[in-house]
C-alpha cells in the first residue's frame, strides 16, 4: 500500500467513527464479493465542512476561509483544465478576481466543450411557479434522487447557490424561455413534483456555455487568462506532495509541453465513453482525472453510472455515437409499449389506445413519465426484456419504447410543441428519417453521465493538496443517481460560486516557491509521458485502437451497465484484464508522434479506460446493493425495485491507486444524515 500524501486537512483518516458502530456496520456484511480484488485502507472523513445548522454551513465556511489580498493574487497562478461550464466559469471568475490563469482544452475552441450538448435545462430553487419549491425541497429531492449516497452539506450548498446562478446567467444575456408576461419560464424534470427547471428551448447547455465563454473571453482580453486550445493534459506534476503543474501534448504539432502553477483545477468532465457507445462527445475521456488518480488522488464511487432513458436507440453494429433526446420531452410526451407482443411490429398509429401500456403511468402514478432517470431506464429495459420492445430488430431484439406527443399536440396545438421542442424534433427527424409530429419517437436508455469521480472535500480539493476538481470530474453532489437538469447547476455552482470562495483558503499560503524545470519530479513526469508515447508508436501490432475501445465498451455495457451481478462482474474483470494485456502487445498506432495524430490521442485515452473499467467493475462488485443507477440483480424488492442496504453500504467508496498490476486500496467515507431520513425511495 502506498502512503497517502499530506492533505493539509483535506481529509483525516485518523478521525474514525465510534469503534463499536463501525464494527457493527462492517460486520453486517455477510459476503464480500470483491475481497479478492482490493485491499482495505483506513476510513476517511471530509474535515472541511463546518458543523452547525445546515443552512449556515456555507456562510460559515466562506467566512472561515482565508483571503489572498489583491496584490498577492497577481503573483498567484492557477491552471484550469477543461472549458465546459465548470472550467470556463471557474477560469473567468478566478481571472476576474485577479489571479493569473492558464486555461487548457483539447478542442479547437472553448465553445466546443461537451457542456454545449446539454439540452433540457438547469435547476434552481426560485419557486417562480409558486408550487411549493424551496432551497430545502431542492436539497431533499437531490438527496432522495441520489438514493441517499451523497453528502448533506454539499447538496444543501448546491441548492443554496442555485438561485444565484440564474441571476448571473440572465445578467450575461442567456436567453432563457419566458412566459407571456415576460417572466422566466420553468418546466419539470424527472424525480420532482415542482417546476424548477429554467431552459432555452432544447439549447440550454449551448446558451449557458456561450455565457461562460463570453465571461472567459473578457478575462482573456483583460490579460488575466491565457487560453491554450488543442492541448491535451497527459500528466499531472506533483512536487513535494502538492499539485504544481501539468504536462500537455500540443495536438497539432505533437510537442510535449510543461506548465507550472501554484494550483491545478481539473474540470475535465466525465468518463461515460468507457462504454464506447454513449451520449458523450467522441473526445470525452478520463485521462486528466486518471493521471491525477495515479498520482494519489482518490477515485470515488467509479461504478455509479447514469443511464439516460431518452436516447435514440442503437441502429446497427457499426455505430460509434448515441444521441440524447432531452428529458424535457417527458413533460409532454407519454411513454408506452404495446400490451401484446404481436403488435410490436405494427405502425404505432394503428395500435388502438386500449392496446397500449403506458407503463410508467401505470406503475408510478404519482410521478408518471417524470420518474427519475434510473427508474425510467430500468423499466424500459424490463419492457423490452419481456419482448414488448418496438422498432427494427438489432441482433434479433427490438430495443425501443415509444415517446408519444399525439395527446399533447391535440391538447396544446402543434405550434405550442414547436415553441418548446422544435430543434429537438428536427434533430430526431434528421437522424431517423421519421417525423415525431405525426408518429411517436422511439427511445431507449443509453450511458450518459457519471456520478463517480475524483474524491474531493467540501472545498473541492482532492487528496492531493493543490489539486481541485469541479463539475462532473468530481463525485460530490449527486450520490448514486443525478436528477435531470442538475449537471448544469453543479458545473456553474462550482465554477462561479464555490471554487472561487474555497480555493482562496489554499492560495492564501502563497506566494509559493517556483518549480525548477530540472526538478526530479518534473523530469520523471516528462520522461513517463515520452516513454508511454514511444511504447504506443513502436508496438506495431495488428489491431486498431477503436477495435479495442469497442470491445471494452461491449464488456462494460453487458456486465457493468444497466444491471450487474456477481458472476457478470467477475467475468468482466477477467475479460478486461485479458483485453488490456492484448492491447499493450498488439495495438497499432499509425502516423507520427511529432504531428497531429488522432490515433495516438485515442490510444492514451483507451489505455486509461482499461484501468478505469477494471476499477469500475471492482467497485460494483464490492457494492452488493442496488441504489440509484447501480442495480445489482441480487438486491431487489419483490416488485423489482432497487433495494439498498444502508447498514452495510452507506459510504463513499474512495479508491487509492495501488500501483501497476497491484490491487487498489479502498477507503470508506461513511455518510451520516442529520437532516433527512434515509428510507426506501418511492415514486408511486
Amino acid at each position: 500500500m502506498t502512503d497517502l500524501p499530506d492533505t493539509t486537512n483535506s481529509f483525516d483518516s485518523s478521525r474514525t467513527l465510534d469503534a463499536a458502530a463501525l464494527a457493527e456496520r462492517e460486520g453486517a456484511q455477510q459476503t464480500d464479493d470483491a475481497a479478492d480484488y482490493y485491499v482495505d485502507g483506513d476510513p476517511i472523513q471530509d474535515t472541511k465542512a463546518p458543523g452547525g445548522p445546515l443552512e449556515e454551513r456555507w456562510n460559515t465556511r466562506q467566512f472561515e476561509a482565508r483571503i489572498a489580498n489583491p496584490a498577492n493574487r497577481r503573483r498567484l497562478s492557477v491552471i484550469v483544465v477543461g472549458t465546459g461550464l465548470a472550467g470556463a466559469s471557474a477560469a473567468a471568475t478566478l481571472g476576474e478576481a485577479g489571479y493569473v490563469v492558464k486555461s487548457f482544452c483539447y478542442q479547437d475552441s472553448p465553445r466546443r466543450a461537451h457542456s454545449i450538448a446539454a439540452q433540457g435545462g438547469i435547476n434552481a430553487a426560485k419557486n417562480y411557479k409558486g408550487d411549493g419549491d424551496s432551497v430545502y425541497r431542492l436539497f431533499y429531492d437531490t438527496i432522495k434522487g441520489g438514493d441517499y449516497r451523497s453528502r448533506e452539506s454539499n447538496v444543501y450548498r448546491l441548492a443554496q447557490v442555485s438561485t444565484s446562478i440564474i441571476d448571473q446567467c440572465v445578467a450575461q444575456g442567456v436567453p432563457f424561455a419566458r412566459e407571456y408576461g415576460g417572466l422566466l419560464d420553468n418546466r419539470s424534470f424527472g424525480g420532482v413534483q415542482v417546476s424548477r427547471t429554467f431552459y432555452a428551448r432544447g439549447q440550454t447547455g449551448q446558451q449557458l456555455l456561450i455565457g461562460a465563454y463570453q465571461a472567459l473571453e473578457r478575462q482573456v482580453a483583460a490579460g488575466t487568462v491565457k487560453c491554450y486550445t488543442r492541448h491535451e493534459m497527459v500528466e499531472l506534476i506533483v512536487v513535494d506532495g502538492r499539485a504544481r503543474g501539468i504536462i500537455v501534448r500540443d495536438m497539432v504539432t505533437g510537442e510535449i509541453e510543461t506548465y507550472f502553477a501554484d494550483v491545478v483545477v481539473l474540470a475535465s468532465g466525465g468518463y461515460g465513453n468507457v462504454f464506447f457507445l454513449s451520449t458523450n462527445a467522441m473526445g470525452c475521456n478520463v485521462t486528466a482525472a486518471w493521471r491525477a488518480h495515479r498520482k494519489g488522488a482518490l477515485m470515488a464511487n467509479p461504478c455509479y453510472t447514469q443511464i439516460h432513458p431518452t436516447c435514440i436507440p442503437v441502429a446497427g453494429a457499426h455505430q460509434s455515437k448515441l444521441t440524447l433526446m432531452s428529458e424535457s420531452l417527458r413533460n409532454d410526451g407519454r411513454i408506452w409499449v404495446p400490451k401484446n407482443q404481436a403488435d410490436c411490429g405494427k405502425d404505432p398509429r394503428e395500435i388502438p389506445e386500449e392496446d397500449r401500456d403506458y407503463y410508467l403511468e401505470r406503475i408510478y402514478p404519482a410521478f408518471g413519465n417524470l420518474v427519475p432517470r434510473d427508474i425510467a431506464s430500468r423499466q424500459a429495459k424490463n419492457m423490452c426484456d419481456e419482448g414488448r420492445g418496438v422498432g427494427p430488430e438489432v441482433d434479433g431484439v427490438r430495443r425501443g419504447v415509444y415517446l408519444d406527443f399525439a395527446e399533447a399536440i391535440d391538447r396544446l396545438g402543434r405550434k405550442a410543441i414547436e415553441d418548446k421542442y422544435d430543434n429537438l424534433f428536427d434533430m430526431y427527424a434528421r437522424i431517423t428519417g421519421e417525423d415525431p409530429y405525426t408518429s411517436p419517437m422511439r427511445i431507449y436508455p443509453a450511458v450518459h453521465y457519471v456520478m463517480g469521480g475524483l474524491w474531493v472535500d467540501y472545498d473541492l480539493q482532492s487528496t492531493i493538496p493543490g489539486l481541485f476538481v469541479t463539475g462532473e470530474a468530481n463525485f460530490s453532489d449527486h450520490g448514486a443517481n443525478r436528477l435531470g437538469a442538475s449537471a448544469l447547476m453543479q458545473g456553474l455552482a462550482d465554477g462561479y460560486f464555490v471554487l472561487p470562495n474555497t480555493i482562496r483558503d489554499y492560495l492564501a499560503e502563497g506566494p509559493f516557491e517556483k518549480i525548477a524545470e530540472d526538478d526530479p519530479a518534473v523530469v520523471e513526469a516528462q520522461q513517463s509521458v515520452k516513454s508511454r508515447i514511444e511504447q504506443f508508436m513502436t508496438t506495431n501490432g495488428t489491431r486498431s485502437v477503436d477495435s479495442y475501445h469497442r470491445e471494452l465498451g461491449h464488456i462494460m455495457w453487458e456486465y457493468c451497465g444497466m444491471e450487474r451481478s456477481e458472476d457478470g462482474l467477475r467475468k468482466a474483470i477477467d475479460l478486461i484484464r485479458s483485453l488490456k494485456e492484448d492491447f499493450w502487445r498488439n495495438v497499432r498506432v499509425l502516423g507520427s508522434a511529432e504531428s497531429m495524430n488522432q490515433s495516438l490521442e485515442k490510444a492514451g485515452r483507451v489505455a486509461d479506460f482499461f484501468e478505469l473499467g477494471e476499477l469500475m467493475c471492482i467497485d460494483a462488485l464490492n457494492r452488493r446493493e442496488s441504489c440509484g443507477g447501480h442495480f445489482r440483480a441480487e438486491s431487489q424488492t419483490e416488485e423489482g425495485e432497487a433495494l439498498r442496504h444502508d447498514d452495510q453500504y452507506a459510504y463513499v467508496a474512495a479508491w487509492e491507486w495501488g500501483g501497476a498490476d497491484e490491487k487498489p486500496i479502498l477507503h470508506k467515507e461513511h455518510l451520516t444524515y442529520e437532516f433527512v431520513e434515509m428510507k426506501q425511495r418511492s415514486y408511486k
Side-chain angles (χ1 to χ4, degrees):
M1 172 179 171
T2 57
D3 292 331
L4 290 175
D6 175 17
T7 59
T8 60
N9 293 325
S10 180
F11 70 79
D12 183 357
S13 63
S14 66
R15 290 178 53 183
T16 61
L17 301 175
D18 175 78
L22 184 59
E24 182 180 352
R25 279 186 176 180
E26 300 297 332
Q29 185 172 348
Q30 299 299 315
T31 304
D32 190 345
D33 296 342
D36 297 339
Y37 296 97
Y38 73 91
V39 175
D40 271 316
D42 295 328
I44 62 172
Q45 258 187 315
D46 169 25
T47 61
K48 293 290 182 62
L54 192 60
E55 63 274 11
E56 296 178 9
R57 292 180 180 181
W58 177 225
N59 288 336
T60 299
R61 182 58 191 145
Q62 290 180 83
F63 178 75
E64 291 178 347
R66 294 168 293 175
I67 295 175
N69 73 60
N72 281 344
R73 290 179 212 159
R74 294 191 292 271
R75 294 185 290 165
L76 294 168
S77 57
V78 181
I79 284 174
V80 180
V81 180
T83 57
L85 289 181
S89 59
T93 308
L94 293 171
E96 179 75 34
Y99 299 104
V100 178
V101 181
K102 302 182 184 77
S103 171
F104 292 84
C105 68
Y106 64 76
Q107 296 91 349
D108 57 3
S109 166
R111 292 190 302 163
R112 297 248 183 185
H114 185 55
S115 297
I116 205 167
Q119 299 166 342
I122 176 171
N123 288 330
K126 286 285 198 180
N127 195 31
Y128 281 175
K129 294 288 187 180
D131 54 3
D133 201 12
S134 64
V135 167
Y136 190 88
R137 188 175 295 278
L138 175 53
F139 155 73
Y140 178 79
D141 287 344
T142 305
I143 288 280
K144 177 183 176 183
D147 225 346
Y148 305 94
R149 291 294 180 263
S150 51
R151 297 175 182 150
E152 286 185 323
S153 295
N154 289 70
V155 176
Y156 195 86
R157 175 177 65 186
L158 178 64
Q160 281 180 299
V161 304
S162 69
T163 58
S164 300
I165 296 171
I166 303 304
D167 297 338
Q168 171 112 350
C169 293
V170 170
Q172 291 173 337
V174 173
F176 287 118
R178 293 179 181 268
E179 296 178 327
Y180 177 78
L183 300 177
L184 296 185
D185 197 11
N186 292 122
R187 56 191 180 199
S188 295
F189 261 59
V192 304
Q193 293 177 303
V194 298
S195 294
R196 66 162 66 103
T197 303
F198 296 77
Y199 65 99
R201 288 196 173 180
Q203 308 169 5
T204 313
Q206 176 179 343
Q207 299 301 333
L208 291 172
L209 186 61
I210 289 173
Y213 174 71
Q214 290 175 154
L216 178 64
E217 287 301 304
R218 180 174 181 272
Q219 296 308 312
V220 171
T224 63
V225 177
K226 184 172 182 180
C227 285
Y228 298 83
T229 60
R230 303 296 289 163
H231 283 68
E232 181 169 29
M233 175 181 162
V234 291
E235 189 57 274
L236 178 71
I237 296 173
V238 179
V239 179
D240 296 330
R242 295 175 180 261
R244 293 303 306 270
I246 62 174
I247 298 176
V248 300
R249 181 177 181 271
D250 185 319
M251 297 167 69
V252 176
T253 67
E255 185 177 355
I256 304 301
E257 302 171 358
T258 303
Y259 295 90
F260 299 109
D262 297 312
V263 69
V264 176
V265 178
L266 295 187
S268 50
Y271 48 80
N273 274 354
V274 68
F275 290 87
F276 187 72
L277 283 178
S278 80
T279 67
N280 289 193
M282 295 294 288
C284 292
N285 62 84
V286 75
T287 289
W290 196 254
R291 295 292 101 191
H293 174 60
R294 288 175 62 106
K295 285 294 181 70
L298 303 188
M299 179 66 75
N301 298 334
C303 79
Y304 282 163
T305 305
Q306 182 166 80
I307 312 295
H308 198 295
T310 319
C311 301
I312 298 178
V314 174
H318 298 290
Q319 195 166 344
S320 58
K321 175 76 175 70
L322 294 175
T323 302
L324 172 69
M325 300 307 296
S326 170
E327 182 179 333
S328 63
L329 295 172
R330 291 199 276 152
N331 273 279
D332 291 299
R334 300 179 70 193
I335 296 173
W336 63 277
V337 293
K339 290 182 178 179
N340 306 309
Q341 293 185 17
D343 291 338
C344 291
K346 290 183 178 179
D347 184 322
R349 293 167 292 188
E350 297 177 358
I351 302 175
E353 192 74 13
E354 60 270 20
D355 291 335
R356 301 179 179 190
D357 180 10
Y358 295 91
Y359 57 90
L360 291 179
E361 299 173 29
R362 170 174 56 83
I363 302 172
Y364 308 101
F367 283 74
N369 295 298
L370 288 174
V371 293
R373 291 175 174 178
D374 60 317
I375 292 174
S377 295
R378 280 199 298 276
Q379 290 299 346
K381 178 181 183 296
N382 290 341
M383 296 302 113
C384 294
D385 288 348
E386 290 177 9
R388 294 195 285 148
V390 300
E393 293 186 358
V394 177
D395 296 330
V397 181
R398 299 182 193 271
R399 293 291 181 188
V401 299
Y402 289 126
L403 179 61
D404 196 336
F405 289 86
E407 188 272 339
I409 292 173
D410 287 342
R411 175 169 48 88
L412 302 172
R414 174 165 173 158
K415 179 64 167 59
I417 299 301
E418 288 177 345
D419 288 344
K420 287 184 178 181
Y421 309 117
D422 66 335
N423 62 305
L424 298 173
F425 277 49
D426 289 347
M427 182 169 65
Y428 182 88
R430 288 174 181 271
I431 291 172
T432 66
E434 302 170 6
D435 181 4
Y437 288 106
T438 60
S439 183
M441 288 183 179
R442 288 179 294 105
I443 58 170
Y444 193 70
V447 171
H448 178 53
Y449 187 92
V450 293
M451 287 71 67
L454 293 180
W455 188 93
V456 292
D457 61 18
Y458 191 67
D459 283 0
L460 304 185
Q461 185 173 206
S462 75
T463 47
I464 300 176
L467 178 68
F468 291 76
V469 191
T470 63
E472 191 179 359
N474 74 34
F475 87 102
S476 64
D477 291 355
H478 304 298
N481 180 61
R482 178 177 66 82
L483 290 181
S486 288
L488 306 187
M489 176 174 63
Q490 187 209 349
L492 292 181
D494 285 356
Y496 282 137
F497 300 105
V498 179
L499 181 73
N501 283 294
T502 59
I503 199 171
R504 59 183 170 84
D505 183 69
Y506 181 86
L507 288 171
E509 299 177 17
F512 297 87
E513 182 180 351
K514 299 298 181 183
I515 302 299
E517 288 273 0
D518 61 353
D519 186 285
V522 177
V523 174
E524 185 277 331
Q526 292 170 335
Q527 186 55 48
S528 69
V529 170
K530 293 175 182 177
S531 298
R532 182 174 161 94
I533 291 175
E534 183 180 3
Q535 185 171 0
F536 286 137
M537 300 307 303
T538 58
T539 300
N540 291 323
T542 61
R543 286 188 61 176
S544 69
V545 176
D546 281 343
S547 72
Y548 281 106
H549 192 184
R550 186 184 296 275
E551 187 172 345
L552 172 64
H554 178 75
I555 295 169
M556 294 298 297
W557 176 251
E558 288 297 318
Y559 303 111
C560 197
M562 292 184 67
E563 183 174 306
R564 301 112 185 245
S565 69
E566 178 181 353
D567 291 343
L569 289 165
R570 288 182 180 275
K571 181 177 181 179
I573 294 169
D574 291 340
L575 290 172
I576 291 170
R577 289 175 174 177
S578 176
L579 189 62
K580 178 176 68 173
E581 182 180 348
D582 187 73
F583 170 85
W584 285 108
R585 184 178 62 247
N586 197 35
V587 71
R588 184 172 182 83
V589 177
L590 301 175
S592 165
E594 288 74 39
S595 64
M596 183 181 294
N597 189 334
Q598 291 185 329
S599 181
L600 177 59
E601 296 161 16
K602 292 177 182 178
R605 297 167 185 172
V606 172
D608 291 332
F609 277 145
F610 274 119
E611 295 177 351
L612 167 68
E614 182 177 333
L615 182 61
M616 289 173 68
C617 292
I618 293 173
D619 187 37
L621 187 60
N622 174 65
R623 190 172 288 275
R624 194 183 177 92
E625 69 164 350
S626 295
C627 61
H630 171 84
F631 191 80
R632 279 292 292 267
E634 302 92 339
S635 184
Q636 52 185 304
T637 66
E638 292 182 359
E639 295 81 20
E641 303 288 356
L643 179 63
R644 292 196 325 268
H645 298 292
D646 296 333
D647 57 337
Q648 302 170 42
Y649 297 106
Y651 62 77
V652 175
W655 296 90
E656 179 189 353
W657 173 255
D661 301 319
E662 298 294 331
K663 295 179 180 179
I665 301 142
L666 174 60
H667 303 272
K668 298 177 183 178
E669 178 196 343
H670 288 281
L671 296 168
T672 302
Y673 289 92
E674 303 175 61
F675 302 93
V676 297
E677 177 188 356
M678 285 194 291
K679 53 180 138 180
Q680 198 66 28
R681 281 195 306 167
S682 174
Y683 294 91
K684 296 183 178 182

